[in-house]
Amino acid sequence: MTSPCFRRCCPNQLLGQPGDSEQYTTSRQSRYDFIAATALSLHPNTQFTNHESIPTLDQSFDNMKRAYPNYPETDRADRIRDQEYYQLTLMNHVCLDYNGHGLFSYSQQLHSNATFFNIIYKSANLYLEITRGGQEPEFETKIKERIFRFMNISSDEYSLVFTANQTSAFKVLADSYPFHTNRNLLTVYDHQNEAVETMIESCRKRSGRVDSAVFSWPNMRIQSKKLRKSIVSNNKSKKKKKRGLFVFPLQSKVTGSKYSYVWMSLAQENGWHVCLDANAFGAKDMETLGLSLFRPDFLICSFYKVFGENPSGFGCLFIKKSRSSVVKNSSTVTGLVNIVQAPNRPLFLEESTSIDRGKTVLSSSSSSSSLSVSLSLPKQGISEIQEIGEINEEKKESSFFEIWKRDVAVDLKEKSTKNEASSSGVSSDVEFRGLDHADSLGLILISSRVRYLVNWLVNAFGSLKHPHPEDGVPLVRIYGPKVRVERGPVVAFNVFDWKGEKVEPTLVQKLADRHNISLSYAVLKHVSFVDKNNEERERIVEVKSIDNEGQKSPLTRKKERFDLGIPVVIATIGFLINFEDVYRVWAFVSRFLDADFVEKERWRYMAINQTTVEV
C-alpha cells in the first residue's frame, strides 16, 4: 500500500488531534495567503456587470498563473489530455459532469485489440460471494487486483464485489444488512441521492429507523451537535449496543463540503457499522492520512470507462473481512455482476448510460451521454480537422462527421479484421491507462491542480454582478464553501436575474449543453434555515410548481412542501479539466448578465433549426 501523505497539500481532517503549534500557525498563514491570491486572480478587475467586458481567455490565464505561480507545474496533466483525450479539443467539449474514476483513455479506442469489458448480471448471496474467493475468471481477478492497488486498499483486509453501478452497490449492501436487528440507518448527505434512497427504502421495508445529518444554510456545514447526538444518543452503558449502519461520505459530491474523519471514529466507538461512500473522491484521494488510520466496515466507489466519451462502467462494494459475518444471514440479492472480457472490436457508434443516474449499464463500449456519435480518429487527422476553418460554429459537428465518418469506419474495420485473423484467442492483458495516468501524476499534483481550478471558478463566479446604482446584485450564488484550500472539486450554484429571481437550474443546464458544456443537476436536502425569510425565498419556486400540478389534498401538499429541496447546477472538476474549461463555464454564465440572453437563445436556435425550441 502507498504511504500516507503528511504534507500540507492534503488538508488534515483529523479534528482535535494534537499538533505542533508552529506548524498550525504556518498552515493558517498559508490558507490566508491562498485566499488572498485567489482574490487577485482576476486582477486588475474584481467585478463585471457586462459579459462583453470580461477578459479574454489568454488574459485570464496570465492573471491566473500570476496568482498561482505553481499551476504550470501541473502541465503534465495537460500533456496527458492532449495525447490521450484529444477528442475533447476536437469536439470543443467541456465535460464537468463526470463523477468516479476513469479506467481507460480515449486513444485506446483507436486500437481494435484494446481490452475492454462487458458485464453479466447475476443474483447471488453476498456472504457466499465474499467468502468463496478465487472462483471468478482470470480477467475479473486482474481487474480486482488493479482496483485494489488504485484505491490503496489491501486485499488481505477487504473483499470486493462488482455491482451494475453505484446505486446497485448501495442496494446490495442495504438488502444484505441485518436491519431487523441493527435497526438504525444514519446518513450524511446534503443532497438528494438516488443510491442512498434505495438504501433508505430497503431499511424501512424491514421496519428500520432512518435519520440524517442536518446542514446549515447557506454554507452547508454539518450541524455537529445534532449529528453527535444522533450517533451517541441513549448510549448510557459502557457496552456497545447494536446501533446500525452509518453511511458517510468524506466530502459532498454536490457542494464540495469536506467532513472530518473523526465522525467515522465516533460512530465505530458507539457501535455503528460504518460505510464510507468514496464516490466523491478525486483521483488518489484514498492516499490521504485519515484512511490509513480509520478503516470503514464497508466502502463503495464507482468506475467508468472513458472520460468525456463513455460514462458506463460498474460499482464496487468493499467489505472488511473481519465484518463479513454481519451479512452472513443475508438472502439472495440482485445487482451483482461479473465482468467479462469483451471481443476485440473497435468502439464505434454505440450507446451508453450513466452509472451515477442508476440506469442499466450496457455492454462493451459506448459514446458519451452528451454526444450522439463517437468517432475514433487517427492522430494524423487532428491537424486536418483544425485546418477546415471558416465553418459556421453550429455546423462544425456535422462537417466533422461528413469528412471522417466513412473513412474512419472503414479504416477501423480493416484493422479489426486483420487483428482478428492473426489472433486465435482474446488477450488477458488489461491496460488501465486512465488509472495509470492518475498514478503517474500522483496525489500532490492532482490535488494542487484541482484546488487552483475550482477556487478560481468560485472567485470568478463571485465577480459577476448585475448593474445597480449602489451595489451590484450577484448573478451567481454559491452553495457550500466559497474560496478555501480545503474544499472539494465541485461547485454548486444557481443563476439569478437582475430582479433577484432564480433562473431554473434545468434551463441553465440545457443552455450550457447547447454551448457544448456539460453540467450536472442536483437537489440540496436536509437544509436548516436560521432565517425563515431565506427559506421562503428559496422554496417559493418549488412550492409554485407543486401548486400547479393539479388538485391534491392539503395533507399531501403540506408533506410535499416540507420535503422540498433546493435545485442547483453543479460543475465537477477532475485532473483532466484544464483552465480553458473553467473559463468557458465562467464566460457562459456571464451571458446571463444580459437580461435578454434566454430569449436571444430561443430565437437563435429557431433560426438555425427552423423549428420552435423550448427553453
Side-chain angles (χ1 to χ4, degrees):
M1 293 176 60
T2 307
S3 300
C5 174
F6 292 91
R7 308 190 189 188
R8 286 200 303 273
C9 69
C10 311
N12 186 1
Q13 295 176 307
L14 307 178
L15 303 183
Q17 301 297 309
D20 184 81
S21 59
E22 182 178 350
Q23 181 179 356
Y24 174 77
T25 302
T26 304
S27 179
R28 183 172 59 180
Q29 183 63 42
S30 298
R31 286 167 169 76
Y32 175 82
D33 293 343
F34 180 84
I35 294 173
T38 303
L40 298 176
S41 60
L42 295 173
H43 182 78
N45 302 296
T46 58
Q47 182 171 312
F48 302 94
T49 58
N50 188 323
H51 72 277
E52 295 179 345
S53 68
I54 69 171
T56 65
L57 170 63
D58 291 339
Q59 291 171 337
S60 298
F61 194 29
D62 288 340
N63 290 334
M64 185 262 204
K65 287 186 289 186
R66 278 194 289 270
Y68 305 134
N70 293 329
Y71 178 80
E73 296 177 4
T74 72
D75 62 357
R76 286 167 53 201
D78 293 312
R79 291 197 294 272
I80 289 174
R81 172 180 165 131
D82 292 342
Q83 295 168 6
E84 300 282 345
Y85 303 87
Y86 49 82
Q87 88 281 5
L88 299 171
T89 301
L90 288 173
M91 302 301 288
N92 196 33
H93 191 202
V94 176
C95 296
L96 301 186
D97 59 343
Y98 272 70
N99 190 268
H101 305 290
L103 293 167
F104 311 107
S105 76
Y106 177 82
S107 67
Q108 286 182 269
Q109 295 185 100
L110 299 181
H111 305 288
S112 60
N113 61 346
T115 301
F116 286 80
F117 60 85
N118 296 334
I119 63 173
I120 299 177
Y121 293 85
K122 64 181 179 181
S123 298
N125 180 285
L126 179 59
Y127 181 74
L128 295 179
E129 284 290 304
I130 62 178
T131 54
R132 67 177 186 175
Q135 296 184 22
E136 67 263 7
E138 180 185 3
F139 181 79
E140 184 171 305
T141 299
K142 288 190 175 183
I143 293 180
K144 283 187 177 182
E145 291 173 352
R146 185 65 182 93
I147 289 176
F148 271 114
R149 293 200 307 273
F150 181 78
M151 295 297 292
N152 197 33
I153 294 175
S154 170
S155 59
D156 294 332
E157 190 176 359
Y158 285 87
S159 301
L160 168 62
V161 295
F162 292 125
T163 63
N165 47 47
Q166 175 195 151
T167 300
S168 294
F170 276 83
K171 189 175 188 304
V172 166
L173 176 57
D175 289 348
S176 303
Y177 189 80
F179 283 118
H180 58 285
T181 56
N182 301 45
R183 297 178 60 83
N184 298 295
L185 173 63
L186 177 58
T187 64
V188 186
Y189 289 85
D190 59 8
H191 59 278
Q192 184 173 305
N193 187 303
E194 180 182 353
V196 176
E197 291 299 320
T198 63
M199 181 172 277
I200 291 173
E201 181 181 357
S202 178
C203 175
R204 284 175 172 163
K205 281 182 178 179
R206 284 172 284 165
S207 302
R209 294 183 290 263
V210 178
D211 195 8
S212 171
V214 179
F215 303 85
S216 297
W217 182 264
N219 57 29
M220 302 306 292
R221 292 175 182 168
I222 291 175
Q223 293 193 350
S224 300
K225 289 183 179 179
K226 289 185 177 180
L227 180 56
R228 181 179 179 83
K229 182 178 180 181
S230 296
I231 293 174
V232 304
S233 62
N234 300 321
N235 191 16
K236 297 179 180 180
S237 64
K238 294 183 179 180
K239 184 178 179 180
K240 291 183 181 179
K241 294 183 178 180
K242 291 183 178 181
R243 290 290 182 183
L245 188 60
F246 178 63
V247 185
F248 178 72
L250 278 171
Q251 63 187 36
S252 169
K253 71 174 184 179
V254 170
T255 64
S257 299
K258 291 198 172 186
Y259 314 128
S260 170
Y261 293 99
V262 168
W263 291 116
M264 288 197 299
S265 178
L266 182 64
Q268 288 176 328
E269 289 172 0
N270 284 271
W272 294 83
H273 292 117
V274 173
C275 173
L276 175 61
D277 179 359
N279 284 289
F281 276 18
K284 311 307 296 175
D285 277 356
M286 289 292 291
E287 294 181 6
T288 56
L289 171 62
L291 288 178
S292 67
L293 299 178
F294 302 116
R295 290 300 187 186
D297 304 296
F298 310 97
L299 185 145
I300 293 174
C301 63
S302 60
F303 292 81
Y304 58 84
K305 288 178 181 171
V306 181
F307 176 76
E309 177 67 14
N310 187 344
S312 66
F314 53 80
C316 294
L317 171 59
F318 293 87
I319 301 100
K320 198 172 186 180
K321 291 182 177 179
S322 61
R323 294 289 185 271
S324 59
S325 60
V326 173
V327 297
K328 186 173 184 179
N329 296 321
S330 59
S331 58
T332 299
V333 295
T334 59
L336 295 170
V337 299
N338 282 123
I339 298 179
V340 298
Q341 191 166 8
N344 289 342
R345 62 187 181 191
L347 308 184
F348 193 70
L349 301 178
E350 297 186 29
E351 296 182 296
S352 74
T353 54
S354 172
I355 58 176
D356 274 348
R357 295 174 183 172
K359 304 288 185 64
T360 302
V361 180
L362 302 183
S363 65
S364 191
S365 58
S366 54
S367 66
S368 167
S369 57
S370 299
L371 300 176
S372 60
V373 179
S374 168
L375 287 176
S376 300
L377 290 174
K379 290 186 179 180
Q380 61 266 25
I382 298 176
S383 59
E384 297 178 40
I385 289 291
Q386 294 170 338
E387 291 171 5
I388 292 174
E390 303 304 319
I391 298 176
N392 183 281
E393 181 179 355
E394 285 74 28
K395 295 182 180 179
K396 281 183 180 179
E397 189 171 321
S398 61
S399 299
F400 174 84
F401 293 150
E402 291 170 6
I403 295 172
W404 287 105
K405 181 176 178 180
R406 182 190 62 209
D407 294 339
V408 173
V410 172
D411 178 59
L412 290 176
K413 185 176 181 180
E414 290 176 352
K415 289 181 180 179
S416 178
T417 302
K418 291 178 181 178
N419 282 320
E420 287 176 2
S422 62
S423 176
S424 58
V426 180
S427 172
S428 61
D429 294 331
V430 189
E431 182 182 16
F432 296 98
R433 205 175 290 179
L435 303 183
D436 294 342
H437 293 152
D439 285 341
S440 67
L441 295 175
L443 172 65
I444 297 173
L445 185 149
I446 291 174
S447 59
S448 298
R449 178 182 178 87
V450 170
R451 183 184 306 118
Y452 295 140
L453 292 175
V454 71
N455 280 286
W456 183 91
L457 182 60
V458 169
N459 182 66
F461 276 160
S463 71
L464 303 175
K465 310 274 186 174
H466 288 289
H468 194 274
E470 298 178 358
D471 187 21
V473 177
L475 174 69
V476 179
R477 179 179 298 170
I478 304 291
Y479 305 92
K482 303 300 188 293
V483 173
R484 291 185 65 183
V485 174
E486 309 93 340
R487 78 170 335 278
V490 58
V491 182
F493 68 95
N494 272 320
V495 177
F496 292 79
D497 64 20
W498 63 275
K499 294 180 290 186
E501 295 183 0
K502 181 166 63 178
V503 180
E504 281 297 315
T506 51
L507 175 58
V508 175
Q509 185 185 29
K510 183 184 295 185
L511 292 177
D513 190 61
R514 290 178 178 173
H515 286 75
N516 232 6
I517 298 171
S518 297
L519 300 171
S520 299
Y521 168 89
V523 179
L524 302 180
K525 301 282 282 187
H526 311 300
V527 180
S528 174
F529 292 85
V530 176
D531 187 340
K532 293 302 178 182
N533 291 328
N534 284 339
E535 179 176 10
E536 185 65 24
R537 284 197 297 269
E538 290 298 329
R539 298 189 188 275
I540 188 168
V541 174
E542 286 69 47
V543 170
K544 284 181 179 179
S545 67
I546 286 178
D547 291 341
N548 292 333
E549 285 181 2
Q551 297 297 324
K552 294 183 178 180
S553 68
L555 183 62
T556 300
R557 291 172 63 181
K558 181 178 181 180
K559 181 180 185 300
E560 286 177 333
R561 293 185 183 192
F562 180 78
D563 291 339
L564 286 176
I566 310 299
V568 294
V569 184
I570 56 176
T572 304
I573 297 175
F575 71 90
L576 291 173
I577 299 301
N578 61 18
F579 179 77
E580 182 177 352
D581 291 335
V582 294
Y583 174 85
R584 284 181 57 188
V585 173
W586 180 51
F588 161 73
V589 171
S590 74
R591 300 288 299 275
F592 287 90
L593 289 170
D594 180 355
D596 298 322
F597 172 60
V598 174
E599 192 63 24
K600 288 177 181 178
E601 285 292 291
R602 184 194 304 274
W603 285 103
R604 175 179 174 230
Y605 281 89
M606 283 179 63
I608 294 171
N609 301 319
Q610 298 299 312
T611 57
T612 301
V613 179
E614 293 296 330
V615 297

